[in-house]
Amino acid sequence: MTTVNESNITTETLGFQSEVKQLLDLVINSLYSNREIFLRELISNASDAIEKLRFNALSNEDLYEGDSDLAIDIDCDEKARTITIRDNGIGMSREEVITNLGTIAKSGTKEFFGSLSGDARSDSQLIGQFGVGFYAAFIVADRVVVSTRRAGAPKGQGVRWSSEGQGEFTVEEDGRAARGTEIVLHLKEDASEYADAWRLRGLIKKYSDHISTSIRMPETGEDKTGRETVNTATALWLRSKQEVTDDDYKAFYKHVAHDFDDPLAWVHSKVEGKLEYTTLFYIPSRAPFDLFDRDVKRGVQLYVQRVFITDEAEQLLPRYLRFVRGIVDTKDLPLNVSREILQKNKTIDTIKAASVKKMLGLIEGLSAEDYAKFWSLFGRVIKEGIIEDVPNQERIAKLLRFASTHDDVETPAVSLIDYISRMKEDQKTIYILTGESFSTAKASPHLEVFRSRGIEVLLLTDPVDEWVVQHLTTFEGHNLKSVLHGKLDLPGEETAAEKSEDETPLEVVVRLKKLLEGKVKDVRVSQRLTNSPACLVADDYEMGLNLQRILKAAGQEVPPTQRILEVNVHHPLLGRLAGEADDGRFNSLALIVYEQAILAEGGRLEDAAGFVQRINELLLESAA
Ligand code: ADP
Ligand code: MG
């Protein structure tokens, strides 16, 4: 809708995008527990706008319009119940105002809404994390007026945006708008407490102290009419480590990571020499909602001489460290560095390699308690590093934790080093079993001989584990071997079952092979079983059942493979089969043995109805 008022100003009324409406609804109706975050969000935007101007002015000084004293100014009026936040940064054009303050442009909006819990406190945290911070203004205001002029636009050609947060906003010309952006919050009655200079100073100190731009407020004290800077206003990472307190580090983390919780750990380092750069990296204490999206855009921020350049994730750290937040600042890149330059730049490569080492060092140094937390949050992502970062593979392998038959506890807590320290005297191999879930893995018949001989097996139940073990074939000189594949070469005394292995094929095995032709590749006497009658194994280099299942679930075509049926000739059922002269009975019993082996590993029967019928016949027979 367009209207023209008496001073001939055209006002356009537009509707918010539906996601914004949904968000505003949430902001207005449920975010009362953490209301003060509105200021942090608006200051963060003002600071971004100033960084953007500084960056653009590098190639076009005129944008400063003679005023390069960049700052954020905050004022309040108790009587009028308003707060004003002003920056002389980049500002916005009319089109930018409409897109930036009317839609959510970010990809991942769906995920964001999907991850909302309905719990006001954690949802309000997500808002900041997702970066839809501007709308936080409506937590405390029932009317927001934004006056802005894009740097470079002629004076007199500003824009005014205004909304009550109820589904629509208006846009009109604003001839008086100064360069940059001014936001006036008309506070709700129950938020009047924020129109208080001391309250605002407190919030600035609490949330925005580390912003490298000055945040100014009116001077305090009688007869004072000037303005003073309220925040420390130096880039925290450039201060010496001795000067920075833990609280400073934590506050800065909340700013860079858009998080409310303290980080789990951080590492701050300055490198001086041929290359000069500073890094400050944090491990969050909770996982971002888009952790498993390998294409997340935002990550560690790159600064060149304190000027923000980019936060495109992959530039500075590999994908398997995408949960890391923080900054890299260097003097050794040109300020006008482009994305293309970054992708093949020696300086960046050097910083990246050193940063990975720094991060691995930080992770390795975590206390046992923090490590357990870290692994539960980010372990699945770290595992990707085994595949992705071959030069550091050995180091990453030491970080891995698995469930194990050692303690049969589901929480993955056993490292490869732990495993090796418990190996049998003549054991050379690290045994693993991959499966769909901890409960099926731990009950697998393939573990029987290992359990009876006290040989530990690692239980791997993350889908990514299948790829991890394809890329990690040895660790510290020990081969990793799946207990589901091939023949076993177990350390120590041979069991009776193993001894009988080399003997001429038993008659029962020959009969089974004939019967199951087309279903299995081979039938042989098992070394693996002590209690179960039979199990299925894959050949050494064949795809296992678990991987097939994962690939099928992902919609991939999986070539059919036949597996090997191993039978436990010491099991009474096999004894009965051996003594069964009637071919019909032999066949139905043998099929049941085969089908049981499929069921025991969580597989699906091709002919489930036939199986049920065969079982029922057996039951009736034994009842008769
Ligand atoms: P984010 O800061 O994560 O991009 P916000 O919701 O906080 O998300 O802001 C949306 C967009 O509005 C910003 O990306 C920016 O383009 C624009 N914007 C907000 N505040 C300002 C400002 N003070 N100056 C210039 N642009 C702004
Ligand atoms: Mg923002």
Side-chain angles (χ1 to χ4, degrees), residues 95 118 132 174 261 268 289 334 441 493 507 511 526 529 577 596:
E95 288 68 41
V132 284
D174 184 348
D261 293 332
H268 181 193
F289 67 90
E493 285 285 294
E507 201 207 325
R511 276 175 88 187
S526 183
L529 303 171
L577 271 176
Q596 276 184 351

Side-chain angles (χ1 to χ4, degrees), residues 23 41-50 52 85-87 89-92 96-97 99-101 103-104 106 127-136 146 148 150 180-183 258 298:
L23 181 69
E41 291 300 329
L42 298 178
I43 289 177
S44 150
N45 287 348
S47 153
D48 290 349
I50 281 174
K52 266 185 221 159
I85 297 133
R86 192 167 46 245
D87 67 72
I90 192 79
M92 285 177 274
E96 285 169 328
V97 167
T99 340
N100 295 341
L101 310 185
T103 60
I104 304 176
K106 313 258 153 38
I127 284 203
Q129 213 190 89
F130 188 67
V132 284
F134 169 76
Y135 303 104
V146 179
T148 182
R150 172 91 194 181
T181 304
E182 178 189 270
I183 297 177
H258 288 287
R298 291 183 181 191

Side-chain angles (χ1 to χ4, degrees), residues 33-37 39-40 43 121 194 198-211 215 230-232 247-248 250-255 259-260:
S33 59
N34 232 325
R35 301 182 88 179
E36 56 192 42
I37 65 156
L39 190 65
R40 183 198 72 164
I43 289 177
R121 197 185 123 77
Y194 293 107
W198 287 110
R199 185 73 196 266
L200 293 175
R201 278 169 181 263
L203 293 181
I204 293 168
K205 278 303 228 185
K206 181 170 172 191
Y207 292 112
S208 311
D209 197 41
H210 42 267
I211 295 258
I215 304 171
V230 180
N231 59 332
T232 309
D247 282 343
D248 293 337
K250 288 176 189 170
F252 183 69
Y253 165 76
K254 291 171 188 177
H255 165 65
D259 198 351
F260 277 80

Side-chain angles (χ1 to χ4, degrees), residues 64-283:
Y64 281 137
E65 301 172 11
D67 172 19
S68 60
D69 175 21
L70 304 180
I72 300 167
D73 278 286
I74 298 186
D75 290 277
C76 61
D77 183 334
E78 233 169 298
K79 280 208 205 87
R81 228 196 296 140
T82 59
I83 300 174
T84 304
I85 297 133
R86 192 167 46 245
D87 67 72
N88 53 359
I90 192 79
M92 285 177 274
S93 68
R94 185 188 179 90
E95 288 68 41
E96 285 169 328
V97 167
I98 293 174
T99 340
N100 295 341
L101 310 185
T103 60
I104 304 176
K106 313 258 153 38
S107 59
T109 315
K110 257 226 206 82
E111 287 90 329
F112 169 70
F113 283 103
S115 57
L116 293 176
S117 63
D119 171 58
R121 197 185 123 77
S122 55
D123 285 352
S124 68
Q125 296 180 354
L126 276 174
I127 284 203
Q129 213 190 89
F130 188 67
V132 284
F134 169 76
Y135 303 104
F138 290 98
I139 303 176
V140 293
D142 49 19
R143 197 165 115 79
V144 177
V145 181
V146 179
S147 302
T148 182
R149 180 165 61 79
R150 172 91 194 181
K155 291 199 171 115
Q157 293 194 9
V159 191
R160 172 182 297 245
W161 176 101
S162 146
S163 175
E164 290 172 5
Q166 303 285 355
E168 29 173 66
F169 59 89
T170 63
V171 189
E172 61 193 38
E173 295 151 34
D174 184 348
R176 292 190 315 179
R179 181 197 74 216
T181 304
E182 178 189 270
I183 297 177
V184 181
L185 306 178
H186 297 268
L187 297 175
K188 296 177 191 171
E189 214 170 304
D190 67 358
S192 56
E193 60 189 290
Y194 293 107
D196 174 277
W198 287 110
R199 185 73 196 266
L200 293 175
R201 278 169 181 263
L203 293 181
I204 293 168
K205 278 303 228 185
K206 181 170 172 191
Y207 292 112
S208 311
D209 197 41
H210 42 267
I211 295 258
S212 49
T213 305
S214 292
I215 304 171
R216 299 184 302 209
M217 287 194 63
E219 274 182 312
T220 50
E222 277 170 43
D223 316 324
K224 296 271 177 72
T225 52
R227 303 188 69 81
E228 62 185 0
T229 297
V230 180
N231 59 332
T232 309
T234 53
L236 170 125
W237 62 88
L238 295 181
R239 285 154 63 191
S240 85
K241 278 198 248 182
Q242 289 72 33
E243 261 179 60
V244 186
T245 66
D246 282 3
D247 282 343
D248 293 337
Y249 279 120
K250 288 176 189 170
F252 183 69
Y253 165 76
K254 291 171 188 177
H255 165 65
V256 282
H258 288 287
D259 198 351
F260 277 80
D261 293 332
D262 287 338
L264 194 63
W266 62 85
V267 55
H268 181 193
S269 50
K270 273 187 193 159
V271 176
E272 276 160 12
K274 247 173 103 188
L275 279 183
E276 274 186 42
Y277 61 93
T278 300
T279 56
L280 172 53
F281 295 134
Y282 293 93
I283 302 175

Side-chain angles (χ1 to χ4, degrees), residues 9 339 416 436:
I9 288 183
R339 196 162 186 263
L416 293 170
E436 182 171 8

